[in-house]
Each structure stands twice: as structure tokens, then as C-alpha cells.
Amino acid sequence: KRELVNAIHKLPADAKMNIITFSDGYHSWKPQIQTLTASVRSSAVDFTKAMVTSPKTNVFDTLEFALKDKQVDTIYLLSDGEPTAGRLQDVGAIAREIRALNRLRAVTIHSIAFGEESPLLKELATQNGGEYRFVDKIEEE
């Protein structure tokens, strides 16, 4: 939560954003991307702080959903686990399918792994022009 809140605070005022949470499925904070006004930024921070964790991790369906939005040019994927839910759970299959879905769009995918290194998140960032970051200690606020 802290990493996402920090990222939201660092975004420029004219940025556009949405937040998609995922566990066994996925849920979009807003139905469409929002321009980052002061009230939208505050609402995004409040939404982030209220998020609860789940033991399920649906990486593929969530990324597929995010890539369908034609306004999206950058994705920040934050996860504390390997895929355990969704249509695809095999790491290699997810990386191949996301690369194929993103081939023409060229959306940048940055990823942050929490708790354990994630070969999947590293691969998704590498093959989609993003950066990978690993945070080995999760501190609750």
C-alpha cells in the first residue's frame, strides 16, 4: 500500500490513472481512467489505504483487462505472490500471452514484487519496456 501511495503522490497533476485490484478476480477502482485532480488523487490514496489482501493472485486476467483500455500507456503491477488464480497461472504462459497482447500497443509494464523475488514480474517488466523492483520487507502502516 505504501509503495502505491508513494507512486500516486509522485504522479504529475495532468497524469491519468486507474487502480485495478486483484485476487481470484479483479476489480477496477473507477470504470475508466481518471485525470489526476487533487480530489481524484485523494480518493485514489484513500482507496489504496482501504485495500485488503487476499491469498489469491490473478495476474493474467488483470493485465489482460488493463491492456484493453486504449488510454493506458503504462501499467504498474504490484504483487506479493505468484499466480494462483485466473485463466492462466503458468508463469511462462502468462509472459508469452501478455507479450503477444502488448506487441502492437507497446504499453510499458513496471513491476514491484513484495516478500519474494518474482521471475514472472521481472520478465513482464523486461519484455514490456518497464523496470522491476523487489521489496523484501513489507511493513504495514
Side-chain angles (χ1 to χ4, degrees):
K1 291 179 187 180
R2 185 176 59 250
E3 289 293 324
L4 183 53
V5 167
N6 288 340
I8 292 167
H9 284 303
K10 290 178 183 177
L11 290 170
D14 61 345
K16 294 183 178 193
M17 68 165 290
N18 201 352
I19 300 169
I20 303 169
T21 60
F22 55 95
S23 57
D24 56 337
Y26 57 85
H27 172 74
S28 183
W29 165 57
K30 298 287 184 181
Q32 59 193 28
I33 287 182
Q34 305 290 301
T35 300
L36 201 57
T37 62
S39 64
V40 168
R41 188 183 310 263
S42 177
S43 176
V45 167
D46 291 345
F47 177 82
T48 300
K49 288 180 177 179
M51 289 187 311
V52 294
T53 59
S54 165
K56 300 286 186 173
T57 304
N58 186 342
V59 174
F60 178 74
D61 295 344
T62 305
L63 283 175
E64 181 183 47
F65 173 76
L67 288 168
K68 287 179 182 177
D69 188 326
K70 300 299 181 199
Q71 293 187 68
V72 170
D73 63 7
T74 306
I75 294 171
Y76 289 85
L77 175 62
L78 290 72
S79 181
D80 64 353
E82 292 299 315
T84 59
R87 241 178 30 247
L88 293 178
Q89 296 174 33
D90 177 74
V91 170
I94 292 171
R96 281 190 303 279
E97 288 297 317
I98 294 301
R99 182 176 58 237
L101 288 171
N102 196 25
R103 186 184 50 167
L104 298 177
R105 294 275 320 278
V107 171
T108 301
I109 300 177
H110 300 289
S111 60
I112 301 171
F114 298 97
E116 291 185 27
E117 289 279 0
S118 172
L120 173 61
L121 295 188
K122 189 179 289 186
E123 180 64 21
L124 287 169
T126 300
Q127 73 184 18
N128 293 286
E131 293 183 21
Y132 168 79
R133 181 171 170 205
F134 168 62
V135 178
D136 69 351
K137 195 171 194 180
I138 300 173
E139 297 176 16
E140 294 296 322
E141 289 189 21

